[in-house]
Structures are given as C-alpha cells and as structure tokens.
Amino acid sequence: MKTTINQVAKYLNQEVTIGVWLANKRSSGKIAFLQLRDGTGFIQGVVVKAEVSEETFQMAKSLTQESSLYVTGTIVEDTRSPFGYEMQLKEIEVIHEATDYPITPKEHGTEFLMDHRHLWLRSKKQHAIMQIRNQIIQATYQFFQKEGFVKVDPPILTGSAAEGTTELFHTKYFDEEAYLSQSGQLHMEAAAMALGRVFSFGPTFRAEKSKTRRHLIEFWMIEPEMAFVTHEESLEIQENYVQFIMESVLEHCTLELKILERNVETLEKIKAPFPRITYDKAIDMLKEKGFSDVEWGEDFGAPHETAIAESFDQPVFITHYPKDIKAFYMKPDPDRDDVVLCADLIAPEGYGEIIGGSARIDDLSLMEQRYEEHNLSGDAYQWYLDLRKYGSVPHAGFGLGLERTVAWISGVEHVRETIPFPRLLNRLYP
Ligand code: 4AD
Ligand code: MG
C-alpha cells in the first residue's frame, strides 16, 4: 500500500510504501536510523541488520543525505518520538542519489541558509513554519466565509498609491506609469460598496529601504473592508479573527509548535476582547517607561511598540493616532479633529504591529480636502471619489500582515523565515 507520512496512523502494524527523502541518518554495526521526510511530515525509519538482507543493510548505511527513495516497511507506535510512529524498514529502493547536499546537520550562518533557501525549506523547522502559515491561511478563509464576507481580488498593477507615494515599485504600463500594489484597500472599498463585506488575500509591495526583522519588500496581506461598519465594530471583528486564527493553529499544528519549541501557554491565553489604549495613553506609558524623548505627533518605532506590548499578555490596540502620521483616507474623530479613528494591533512578546486599520472618510468634501493636502488630484484617483459621490456610507477595514502573524505564532525572530522565498532589501535570490 502506497501512502504518505501524515497518513501512517491508519496503517498501524501494516506494511506500506512511502516516497521519501533522507533527511539525516545514524547507524551502528547492527542498526541504522534513517530520518525520512516526504513533504507531509517526518518519520524515523529503522533498519535492523538481522531482519533485512545484507545488501539492504549496507545500502541503508551508505545512503547520502537528501537522496530520494521508496521505502517499504511496517508502521509501529513509537512513544518516544513526538510524532508517535516509526517505520521498520524491509526494503529500500533508491530513486536518485544526492551527492554533497550543502545543508548538513551542523550549524550554518543565516546568509548561507538564505542563499540556499530553495533547499533550506526542506528542513524540519522551516517545514513547520510553512505548515503554520498554511493553517493561518485556511483559518482566514474559514473565518471570513463564516462571517459572510466575499473574497475579492484587487489588482496588483495599479495607477494609484494607497499608503503614500514614496515607497512604490514603479513600472511602465505600455504608455502609462504603473505601480505594484502597496495595499488593495482602495479597490476593496469599491468592492465593499458592491458586495457589503469583502476580504482580499494577496501579495503587496513596499519599496521602503527598511532592514528590520519585521519588514519584507514583498509580503502578503489579508484586507477586509466592510460597508456600514464603525471603527468600534471593526475592532471586534479584528480581535475575533485573531482569536480564531490562534485557536485553529493550536488545534491543528500541535506537532509544528513543538518542533519550533513555541511556548503554547502564552498562545492559549490569547482571547478576545483585546485591551485598547489611545495613542495619548501610549505616549504617557512610554514616558513612564523611560522614553523621555517621545513627543506627541511622532510615529512609534519597534522599541516603542515592544515596550507598550510588555504591559499586556494579549495583543493591544493602540487607537486614535494623530491625523498627520496616518494615511489620507482615515476618518477624523468627530470629537477631536487632530486624531483619526484608527487602530494598530500590537502583538505580544515584541512581534510588533500585525494589523493596521481605520474607519474611512465617507464625506466627499472632506475627501476632496485631503486630496489637495496630499496632492492626489491626478486622474488615477478620480474613481475613488465616486465612492463618496454615489451612496456614500460609513465603512471601515483593516490589513493583517501574514508574515508578522506567522512570526508571532511560530515564535520565529525574523519575518524572512515566514515566507517561502523572502524578498529583502539585499535579496532577490533564490
Ligand atoms: O499598516 P499598513 O501599511 O496598512 C495598510 O496597508 C492598510 N491599507 C490596510 C488596510 O486598512 N486595508 O499594513 C498593514 C499590515 C501591518 O500591520 C503589518 O502587519 C503588515 O501589513 N506590513 C508588513 N509586513 C511585512 N513587511 C512590511 N514591509 C510590512 N508593511 C506592513
Ligand atoms: Mg501600519
């Protein structure tokens, strides 16, 4: 019977054949332990000299790392391994013999591993991170489907910039100028006026020259947009969404979290509602924590976010930022013109901002005023004004950065390990 590693529980004490790669091995005179992987998981294959032909035993001892094989043997329980099963091998058929695989079990530097990212993805930790990423994507579709949202795909080639004009990848679009999308939000607002509650999931591009553990040049964002929804209501959807993702990963990725040595107790505590503090309060907190030079009106950097997050064991919403440091489309607080109805959601344990969102300006004349202040009067932005001309409604939305969320839940330091092929300031390879 041909199967895969993630299905072996169904074949306890039965003989199966699995297509695998040899991840690692150790052997003595009488026994060889082969660490096998097939993409769905990892399992230990045991070859006992006394139970196989001499030829098979010698072959098992001489197999090279990352050679591809068909292995046949019996699935047995193994209470010592976190996976719970091992395979007692009888036959090994070599499909392709690999020589000099560059990533050996010894320690390698990050740059070396990044240069070999196409191979590094095969390793156990990277495999676990990709599984968690996949689970978050699955949970996202489930959550928004269940809440009545429609998946909409905004364009990637655009004529307009959503988040300011300095961080764009520029390209020629025949005779016109075009940019790679920084955010699907503006088009998602149009979609919300057609379909009510919508969400997108796609790649976005930022040409900012940031070299931090939280910044990618190309990253994937989930962007919900909701008609007839207030800022407060949007925060509730955000916290429920984050809790849903967390529960889904905790339920389906137990082994992956163990492989990553993630402290799951801190993750199990994550439950909506999340605390909310205003930007004003955040400034006071920072001053109390010794950031004596922070001034009202400045944006927060990673150290500020981390310091604020330390006071909470839940993600925390920082709301009502000064208008001047936020995007042109954010709706002013009706009680106070200098701040906007927005929130950033800051993850615990120093993983930083995972969501940015706001209520959107729905008043045509105020939007026209913002256009003037931000020099957006060009043709590319005219369609966006139509949304305020024809049946304008209060609406709100947000963007969750997938890689930062994967980093937080997986407990990995740097977002470069949370996407299969990271695009970084100095990296377009592989
Ligand atoms: O805060 P941002 O820039 O918000 C927007 O783009 C809005 N238009 C979203 C919306 O309201 N529809 O980005 C949203 C999130 C951030 O909170 C962060 O998680 C992630 O996207 N993000 C990045 N992730 C990795 N690398 C980068 N360079 C990122 N920039 C933002
Ligand atoms: Mg932001």
Side-chain angles (χ1 to χ4, degrees), residues 56-98:
T56 302
F57 189 69
Q58 287 313 321
M59 189 216 278
K61 282 184 74 168
S62 65
L63 285 172
T64 50
Q65 194 189 348
E66 285 305 313
S67 288
S68 48
L69 324 162
Y70 283 117
V71 291
T72 301
T74 307
I75 303 300
V76 294
E77 255 178 299
D78 173 20
T79 46
R80 285 156 308 174
S81 94
F83 179 55
Y85 301 94
E86 69 176 23
M87 196 169 170
Q88 292 174 344
L89 301 189
K90 294 210 175 66
E91 280 168 47
I92 299 169
E93 180 194 332
V94 175
I95 305 169
H96 179 249
E97 204 178 305

Side-chain angles (χ1 to χ4, degrees), residues 163 183 185 206 216 219 221 223 329 353-354 360 401:
E163 297 292 312
S183 157
Q185 181 197 320
R206 305 271 166 111
L216 292 161
F219 69 98
M221 187 156 46
E223 292 190 275
Y329 51 71
E353 178 200 325
I354 54 169
R360 323 304 193 188

Side-chain angles (χ1 to χ4, degrees), residues 330-357:
M330 291 191 181
K331 188 172 180 157
D333 182 346
D335 301 325
R336 229 183 105 179
D337 196 38
D338 59 341
V339 297
V340 284
L341 299 178
C342 73
D344 285 355
L345 183 65
I346 314 299
E349 303 175 72
Y351 289 95
E353 178 200 325
I354 54 169
I355 295 183

Side-chain angles (χ1 to χ4, degrees), residues 187-224:
H187 293 89
M188 293 307 287
E189 287 184 53
M193 301 307 141
L195 293 152
R197 291 178 172 214
V198 292
F199 77 104
S200 65
F201 171 52
T204 47
F205 306 86
R206 305 271 166 111
E208 57 186 323
K209 297 221 162 95
S210 308
K211 204 178 168 185
T212 79
R213 65 187 188 90
R214 296 172 182 180
H215 285 89
L216 292 161
I217 303 299
E218 179 179 310
F219 69 98
W220 287 64
M221 187 156 46
I222 290 108
E223 292 190 275

Side-chain angles (χ1 to χ4, degrees), residues 242-428:
V242 171
Q243 180 180 325
F244 188 87
I245 291 174
M246 190 58 83
E247 285 169 355
S248 177
V249 173
L250 286 167
E251 184 184 342
H252 297 285
C253 300
T254 324
L255 185 60
E256 285 78 9
L257 293 166
K258 198 175 274 175
I259 289 166
L260 295 166
E261 295 170 29
R262 184 66 170 110
N263 178 351
V264 288
E265 269 170 37
T266 59
L267 300 182
E268 281 161 354
K269 279 194 212 128
I270 305 302
K271 290 271 178 284
F274 299 155
R276 291 141 165 76
I277 59 167
T278 62
Y279 172 91
D280 290 1
K281 174 84 199 307
I283 292 275
D284 292 344
M285 283 176 67
L286 288 170
K287 289 221 152 86
E288 276 165 30
K289 285 172 182 279
F291 289 85
S292 48
D293 52 346
V294 287
E295 277 184 48
W296 197 95
E298 283 173 10
D299 208 355
F300 296 144
H304 303 111
E305 288 176 357
T306 301
I308 292 165
E310 271 168 11
S311 301
F312 303 91
D313 56 6
Q314 299 286 335
V316 53
F317 286 112
I318 305 179
T319 68
H320 300 82
Y321 280 75
K323 169 185 103 193
D324 293 340
I325 54 170
K326 288 291 181 187
F328 74 93
Y329 51 71
M330 291 191 181
K331 188 172 180 157
D333 182 346
D335 301 325
R336 229 183 105 179
D337 196 38
D338 59 341
V339 297
V340 284
L341 299 178
C342 73
D344 285 355
L345 183 65
I346 314 299
E349 303 175 72
Y351 289 95
E353 178 200 325
I354 54 169
I355 295 183
S358 74
R360 323 304 193 188
I361 292 175
D362 47 47
D363 179 73
L364 178 63
S365 57
L366 180 58
M367 188 58 93
E368 283 171 337
Q369 188 185 319
R370 287 286 183 278
Y371 269 39
E372 271 177 34
E373 292 161 7
H374 292 263
N375 289 320
L376 300 175
S377 47
D379 293 344
Y381 291 87
Q382 291 312 303
W383 65 268
Y384 187 67
L385 288 180
D386 280 354
L387 308 178
R388 279 80 190 160
K389 278 183 198 159
Y390 307 112
S392 192
V393 297
H395 63 290
F398 61 94
L400 173 133
L402 178 62
E403 289 76 18
R404 290 198 194 165
T405 308
V406 176
W408 167 41
I409 297 180
S410 305
V412 301
E413 267 289 294
H414 199 298
V415 288
R416 67 188 162 211
E417 288 182 47
T418 63
I419 185 165
F421 296 99
R423 297 299 174 236
L424 300 163
L425 199 50
N426 301 315
R427 182 166 297 282
L428 191 59

